[in-house]
């Protein structure tokens, strides 16, 4: 089984490098005795990829949606790999306005278990939103949900970074992360949030939310982290 995930990881990196250099929207699926579906949908200025791989009766579903409008840039990857289990990766990147950048990456990998990774990044105006969601399991259930929101207007600047990771074997792990930042009228705001549920057996839930707002030339930053082992 280790060989399966090592091969899938290497293939994923190779594909990501190739598609990033040659196309804006790509969807790729691979199966050796399983069901793999990949869907990628982009509007405007986007660079997105959806990759799914399944083996030994596993099911892998990857969906990536990107919207880059009014000068905004949306990018990201949704990657799902399953060996005899279920892996679902959903990603969404939405950027609107000059200077807006939304980056969302979701990875789900299961080895005879269930892994679900959801991630979304939303940027408006002079905002940068980065979201990373990862769910990994062998014989268990891993669910991760990461959301980043950044809004910068009228000379303001906002940066939001969110990461959720659930990595459990023969147990249940749930991780939820939220990062929200707003900078208006010259204000600079940054927020960083991370939720991590990692371990063997049992039940774990991690949840973290970071909110930051800056106005009238002010500066604000916030950090929230939750580790459950």
């Amino acid at each position: 089984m280790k060989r399966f995930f090592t091969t899938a990881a290497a293939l994923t990196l190779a594909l990501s490098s190739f598609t990033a250099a040659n196309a804006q929207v790509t969807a790729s699926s691979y199966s050796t005795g399983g069901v793999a579906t990949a869907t990628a949908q982009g509007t405007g200025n986007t660079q997105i990829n959806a990759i799914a791989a399944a083996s030994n009766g596993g099911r892998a579903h990857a969906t990536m949606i990107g919207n880059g409008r009014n000068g905004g840039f949306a990018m990201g990857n949704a990657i799902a790999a399953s060996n005899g289990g279920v892996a679902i990766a959903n990603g969404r990147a939405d950027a609107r306005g000059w200077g807006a950048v939304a980056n969302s990456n979701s990875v789900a990998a299961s080895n005879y278990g269930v892994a679900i990774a959801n991630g979304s990044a939303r940027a408006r105006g002079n905002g940068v939103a980065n979201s990373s969601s990862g769910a990994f399991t062998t014989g268990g259930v891993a669910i991760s949900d990461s959301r980043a929101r950044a809004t910068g207007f009228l000379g303001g600047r906002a940066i939001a970074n969110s990461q959720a990771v659930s990595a459990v074997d023969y147990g249940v792990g749930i991780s939820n992360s939220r990062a929200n930042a707003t900078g208006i009228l010259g204000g600079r705001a940054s927020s960083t949030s991370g939720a991590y549920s990692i371990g063997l057996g049992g039940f774990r839930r991690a949840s973290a939310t970071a909110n930051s707002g800056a106005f009238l030339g002010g500066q604000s930053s916030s950090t929230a982290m939750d580790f459950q082992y």
Side-chain angles (χ1 to χ4, degrees):
M1 304 311 172
K2 181 178 181 181
R3 179 182 298 176
F4 167 79
F5 285 109
T6 300
T7 303
L11 180 61
T12 294
L13 290 174
L15 286 171
S16 297
S17 300
F18 176 81
T19 54
N22 294 277
Q24 290 183 321
V25 178
T26 62
S28 306
S29 61
Y30 306 89
S31 173
T32 55
V35 177
T37 59
T39 302
Q41 178 180 327
T43 302
N45 191 17
T46 62
Q47 186 77 60
I48 60 173
N49 305 286
I51 302 173
S55 66
N56 293 327
R59 292 179 176 272
H61 306 284
T63 302
M64 185 67 210
I65 298 175
N67 293 293
R69 300 181 181 180
N70 301 326
F73 179 55
M75 58 183 170
N77 302 279
I79 302 170
S82 175
N83 179 59
V86 176
I88 300 173
N90 297 310
R92 178 183 291 271
D94 189 352
R96 299 184 186 183
W98 293 102
V101 178
N103 182 17
S104 175
N105 292 284
S106 298
V107 180
S110 68
N111 183 32
Y112 293 100
V114 177
I116 302 174
N118 297 311
S120 66
R122 180 181 182 274
R124 293 292 184 271
N126 195 21
V128 176
N130 298 302
S131 175
S132 176
S133 180
F136 313 93
T137 188
T138 292
V141 177
I143 301 173
S144 62
D145 192 322
S146 172
R147 302 180 189 181
R149 303 287 185 270
T151 302
F153 287 125
L154 300 174
R157 176 71 166 172
I159 300 176
N161 299 306
S162 174
Q163 184 176 58
V165 176
S166 177
V168 295
D169 289 343
Y170 306 106
V172 177
I174 300 174
S175 296
N176 296 299
S177 176
R178 305 287 185 269
N180 305 293
T182 301
I184 299 177
L185 292 170
R188 293 182 175 273
S190 65
S191 63
T192 300
S193 177
Y196 308 89
S197 57
I198 301 172
L200 176 65
F203 176 84
R204 295 168 179 79
R205 180 190 293 272
S207 180
T209 299
N211 299 308
S212 181
F215 310 90
L216 299 173
Q219 297 186 18
S220 174
S221 65
S222 62
T223 301
M225 296 288 172
D226 186 12
F227 300 91
Q228 299 295 328
Y229 293 103

